[in-house]
Amino acid sequence: MAEIAKEIAECKKCELWKSRKNVVPGEGNVDANVMFIGEAPGYWEDVKGRPFVGAAGKLLDKLLENIGLSRNEVFIGNILKCRPPQNRDPRPDEIEACTPYLDRQIRVIQPKIMVTLGRHSTAYIFNKVGLKFYGISRLHGRIYEVTVLDLPVVLIPMYHPAVALYNARLKDDLKMDFEVLRNVLSERVF
Ligand code: URA
Ligand code: SF4
């Protein structure tokens, strides 16, 4: 994992290297059962070089705490490791350039459960496993038993915490989806 982070730190495979302050390779437990996959660094992540440390990160911390998980026992990564200017959506060419790092991280961690946060990471994993992505609002909180890079994985797509920040209904949905995660963790022996 350290070797992957080192390569990311020197990466110039897409244009985002020019405007980044820091890369955000992701962090957490390399043996985690649960891997969260977000979208891309925002302002504070770019400043600190760490995932989910801004407002959305605070909400993620709370959601984790609600179900008795700490950051130390999970891994938190992103589709892109560098911040897109003005937090614009990741572009397809950037996703293509960057996701080999994510795939390598998945192979190292071998997570039993994958939580994709938002439509970009959900669409990426859905595409990988041959599932049709038809919108995060219609499939969040569902459980998909899939094979990702030859690994059996329980996939639970969820809304991105950033969109739930200012929308009470989506926040409730996100809380309920974390209860789905709690149930999967309590029902299965990994
Ligand atoms: N949003 C993301 O998708 N990832 C981060 O690391 C922070 C905010
Ligand atoms: Fe490299 Fe990914 Fe950063 Fe682009 S976003 S420069 S591919 S690490």
Side-chain angles (χ1 to χ4, degrees):
M1 189 60 78
E3 171 58 34
I4 300 170
K6 208 173 122 200
E7 287 178 40
I8 292 170
E10 293 162 1
C11 182
K12 297 183 175 178
K13 286 202 292 168
C14 80
E15 281 190 358
L16 295 179
W17 74 271
K18 293 180 190 163
S19 49
R20 74 185 174 214
K21 292 192 183 81
N22 290 289
V23 297
V24 181
E27 65 185 32
N29 192 329
V30 178
D31 295 316
N33 281 336
V34 188
M35 180 175 190
F36 290 86
I37 306 174
E39 184 176 317
Y43 178 83
W44 284 108
E45 290 76 22
D46 181 52
V47 168
K48 308 225 174 195
R50 298 184 54 208
F52 284 95
V53 290
K58 296 263 178 335
L59 176 56
L60 180 60
D61 286 343
K62 184 88 191 101
L63 291 160
L64 287 169
E65 191 193 315
N66 283 349
I67 65 164
L69 281 177
S70 74
R71 275 196 182 224
N72 305 336
E73 47 191 327
V74 303
F75 189 92
I76 304 177
N78 281 307
I79 290 282
L80 297 186
K81 316 305 192 192
C82 303
R83 182 192 182 206
Q86 282 87 44
N87 299 345
R88 63 157 171 76
D89 282 353
R91 292 195 324 225
D93 59 310
E94 293 159 355
I95 294 174
E96 194 183 328
C98 204
T99 44
Y101 296 123
L102 177 67
D103 289 356
R104 285 166 65 191
Q105 291 174 321
I106 292 169
R107 285 196 182 92
V108 170
I109 297 163
Q110 309 208 331
K112 307 291 192 247
I113 303 173
M114 236 179 231
V115 177
T116 47
L117 299 168
R119 64 194 161 93
H120 291 287
S121 57
T122 303
Y124 176 69
I125 300 292
F126 263 48
N127 184 43
K128 221 174 185 44
V129 303
L131 283 172
K132 187 171 152 45
F133 178 72
Y134 50 88
I136 193 75
S137 60
R138 290 206 281 158
L139 50 74
H140 72 87
R142 296 191 189 184
I143 294 170
Y144 296 86
E145 311 253 2
V146 294
T147 303
V148 182
L149 302 169
D150 293 325
L151 307 162
V153 167
V154 178
L155 170 65
I156 314 174
M158 299 191 191
Y159 283 119
H160 194 288
V163 308
L165 273 180
Y166 306 106
N167 183 321
R169 191 179 60 81
L170 296 192
K171 203 182 201 172
D172 285 344
D173 285 347
L174 192 50
K175 279 185 192 152
M176 287 201 290
D177 292 352
F178 266 74
E179 294 301 324
V180 173
L181 171 60
R182 189 211 292 266
N183 289 337
V184 170
L185 279 167
S186 68
E187 281 164 9
R188 304 196 188 208
V189 185
F190 292 118

